[in-house]
Amino acid sequence: MPKVSDEYRDARREQILGAARRVFRRNGFHATSMQDLFAEAQLSSGAVYRYFHGKDEMVLAIAEDGIRGVIELMASVARDRDGRSIGEALAAATELVREKDEQDGLAGLGIQVWGEALRNPELRESFAAMLRGIKTEIAEVVRRDQAAGRLPAGVPPEDLAGVLVAVLPGVILQLAMFGPDESAGLPDALRALWPA
């Protein structure tokens, strides 16, 4: 029997997640059946279940894929800094969120994930862990800005990071509710609020 390559497995996993994104955007999580997902992916149940045990795993994978780029961006800013302000870091994260929304409807799916996380404790904890990761990365940037006198020193970095993390869900909510045109100026506004 021929061996399946990692590239093939990755492509098949993305095929399934792409189908799930489309169906979830169209129908919502609860109105989507596994049969709907099999049909959209044009795969058998066995092929889908080889990658995901059910809808909850797909929801979590979609959330992780959506937020991974933001976490990586904030981690790189915290590590490399290279003169970027917190406003520039948040603007870059906002631009990434806007790109992901254009590619695969991140904003609408994000809102659905938050709603689902209120009902599903496992999803809530996984999603909370991802948000804590972003907050940790932003707190490192805040510490550096406080040490350099660019942010107030009298506030714990984790508290300032919590406020800054709240910007990203606000961007996602605005994208979902108003569309990309009304949120186009947000990156520049963030740069203006926290300049270099």
Side-chain angles (χ1 to χ4, degrees):
M1 190 156 169
K3 202 171 187 181
V4 176
S5 70
D6 288 341
E7 293 83 16
Y8 175 85
R9 279 191 292 275
D10 291 346
R12 182 54 55 99
R13 180 182 183 278
E14 188 48 46
Q15 177 186 356
I16 295 166
L17 287 179
R21 284 182 190 101
R22 290 189 299 275
V23 175
F24 290 156
R25 274 196 319 262
R26 216 171 32 239
N27 302 338
F29 295 138
H30 293 288
T32 297
S33 69
M34 289 304 289
Q35 294 299 323
D36 295 331
L37 292 165
F38 305 149
E40 185 74 22
Q42 299 179 337
L43 294 171
S44 69
S45 61
V48 172
Y49 284 126
R50 196 170 294 128
Y51 293 87
F52 300 98
H53 291 106
K55 286 194 303 184
D56 286 351
E57 282 189 11
M58 290 181 205
V59 170
L60 182 57
I62 288 168
E64 287 173 345
D65 286 353
I67 208 76
R68 183 178 298 114
V70 175
I71 292 172
E72 289 168 359
L73 176 69
M74 298 316 285
S76 96
V77 169
R79 271 192 318 270
D80 306 330
R81 198 50 204 253
D82 63 14
R84 288 192 278 186
S85 70
I86 195 72
E88 183 57 43
L90 287 171
T94 297
E95 288 165 344
L96 181 63
V97 165
R98 287 172 48 80
E99 286 171 25
K100 286 184 166 289
D101 182 61
E102 188 177 316
Q103 291 167 3
D104 57 23
L106 171 73
L109 288 171
I111 301 293
Q112 288 187 61
V113 167
W114 296 335
E116 189 66 14
L118 296 175
R119 175 193 83 69
N120 178 328
E122 184 180 342
L123 181 60
R124 179 175 48 245
E125 185 48 44
S126 295
F127 197 61
M130 286 186 278
L131 288 176
R132 283 185 203 105
I134 292 175
K135 186 176 174 182
T136 297
E137 300 300 340
I138 291 177
E140 285 304 310
V141 176
V142 167
R143 273 187 194 82
R144 291 182 190 173
D145 275 6
Q146 285 176 320
R150 291 187 293 263
L151 285 174
V155 181
E158 293 75 18
D159 292 346
L160 282 175
V163 169
L164 296 171
V165 164
V167 168
L168 296 176
V171 169
I172 290 169
L173 179 62
Q174 289 185 58
L175 276 168
M177 296 304 292
F178 306 126
D181 292 342
E182 285 193 42
S183 62
L186 295 178
D188 287 338
L190 288 164
R191 289 181 187 100
L193 274 174
W194 292 290

